[in-house]
Amino acid sequence: MDVLSDLLRRARAGDALVRRLVQRPPWALTFADATALTVVATLGGHAVVRLDEADAAPVALAAGDIALITAVGEYTIADNASTPAQVVIRQGRKYHADSGDPVEREGWNLAPRTYGDGLPGATVMLRGAYELHGDVGGRILAMLPPVAVVPAGPRTGGALDLLAAEVGRDEPGQDAVLHRLLDLVLVLALRAWCARPGSDPPSWYGALADPAVGEALRLMHGDPARRWTIASLAAEVGMSRAAFAARFTGLVGEPPLTYLTGWRMTLAADLLRDTDATVAAVGREVGYEDAFAFSVAFKRARGVSPSSWRRGTG
């Protein structure tokens, strides 16, 4: 499994929530408890994204654009940078921004997973909210700024058309279809963002394009507990030990075994928090037969012992 696919698989805490919003200007929706990663796409019309930060400039979205929002906390999607919030969405419920009263369902629900006024001239948006999990999720979030805008393009446009066609339906297996289509939109948007001039993706992402280094990364993610050495990795990718080590370090920014140790500690951190497995069992899961050696490596990487990390005191 390639690195990005592995991160997305391990990071997801649950299925994403997919909704369509249909609003005629002026409109503004505030999301008070945003998830770690939100995908917002403008299907028709235009919109802006406003972060709950004093120095954050509004980000404009044209038809077909996709915004990946990683800001923790509150943000607003609106027709204009100056439109005050009309509805606040908190814990999945909608409230009038001025009064705080709940929004009546009648007149708001237009179709399955579709909300708004549905009047002529409305902007149509898709929104998918991901709950990302733990230290692995943090690696995905680190790829992106608070708001990353991917301009409309043929590849993302085709995926958005499919998602838009399905979101209002209510047929057997609909949730599975929507989740997979949203994943497709997310991956295509991540690819497009990382390929843009001026973007700053992590070094490992660029290294995936190298046949040898990309394969080595795939091998380490596919079997992190294996007793990998530089020699064994080099043999797997058909290079000499010295040439492989130099190429990997040059492209990824750190030596192969340093990268492997960091990935193992990321996995271990989530296992310690999410499972009742003993410290020794977690160590074995990430490639350490000796519990003491694992504890030393973990403390070196995280600054606290595995037990302290599990207790949340790290």
Side-chain angles (χ1 to χ4, degrees):
M1 181 175 293
D2 71 82
V3 178
L4 182 57
S5 297
D6 192 31
L7 290 177
L8 291 169
R9 177 180 65 87
R10 293 179 185 272
R12 181 175 303 160
D15 289 328
L17 182 71
V18 185
R19 295 292 183 264
R20 178 167 54 191
L21 310 173
V22 184
Q23 296 285 150
R24 188 176 67 169
W27 61 273
L29 307 175
T30 293
F31 295 86
D33 45 7
T35 56
L37 175 62
T38 306
V39 180
V40 174
T42 310
L43 300 180
H46 64 274
V48 297
V49 177
R50 306 194 306 244
L51 301 184
D52 186 25
E53 298 176 9
D55 59 346
V59 178
L61 299 177
D65 289 353
I66 298 172
L68 304 178
I69 306 172
T70 62
V72 176
E74 184 174 290
Y75 67 88
T76 299
I77 307 173
D79 70 302
N80 190 281
S82 60
T83 302
Q86 299 164 339
V87 173
V88 177
I89 300 174
R90 181 181 294 109
Q91 296 181 346
R93 299 194 64 185
K94 304 169 185 67
Y95 301 88
H96 292 285
D98 52 357
S99 66
D101 295 331
V103 174
E104 297 296 332
R105 288 183 176 272
E106 185 177 355
W108 178 259
N109 289 25
L110 302 176
R113 309 173 193 83
T114 303
Y115 304 93
D117 51 40
L119 298 174
T123 295
V124 182
M125 310 281 296
L126 281 176
R127 178 179 179 270
Y130 281 93
E131 290 286 356
L132 295 185
H133 175 73
D135 278 35
V136 175
R139 288 202 173 202
I140 296 175
L141 299 179
M143 298 174 65
L144 298 164
V147 181
V149 176
V150 177
R155 294 192 70 188
T156 55
L160 284 178
D161 289 344
L162 287 172
L163 183 56
E166 291 290 338
V167 71
R169 295 178 178 172
D170 197 7
E171 301 176 5
Q174 199 67 27
D175 286 340
V177 170
L178 292 175
H179 297 153
R180 283 156 180 78
L181 287 176
L182 183 63
D183 286 348
L184 174 62
V185 170
L186 172 61
V187 171
L188 292 177
L190 284 171
R191 287 179 183 173
W193 169 258
C194 290
R196 291 190 67 192
S199 66
D200 187 26
S203 297
W204 60 259
Y205 185 89
L208 296 176
D210 182 90
V213 176
E215 175 64 8
L217 288 166
R218 187 192 67 79
L219 289 168
M220 286 188 279
H221 276 256
D223 191 1
R226 182 171 167 180
R227 292 187 178 183
W228 292 111
T229 64
I230 294 178
S232 64
L233 286 166
E236 289 280 356
V237 300
M239 295 182 67
S240 71
R241 182 182 184 280
F244 167 72
R247 182 181 294 184
F248 189 102
T249 302
L251 291 176
V252 179
E254 57 186 346
L257 298 189
T258 302
Y259 178 90
L260 176 62
T261 298
W263 177 235
R264 285 171 167 174
M265 294 304 107
T266 295
L267 296 177
D270 288 346
L271 286 169
L272 288 165
R273 287 263 172 88
D274 300 339
T275 74
D276 295 327
T278 65
V279 169
V282 170
R284 288 192 296 272
E285 183 81 10
V286 298
Y288 291 83
E289 291 298 328
D290 185 293
F292 178 76
F294 166 65
S295 295
V296 169
F298 190 91
K299 187 170 184 178
R300 185 184 300 117
R302 301 291 163 144
V304 295
S305 68
S307 297
S308 294
W309 180 270
R310 168 169 275 167
R311 291 194 300 268
T313 58

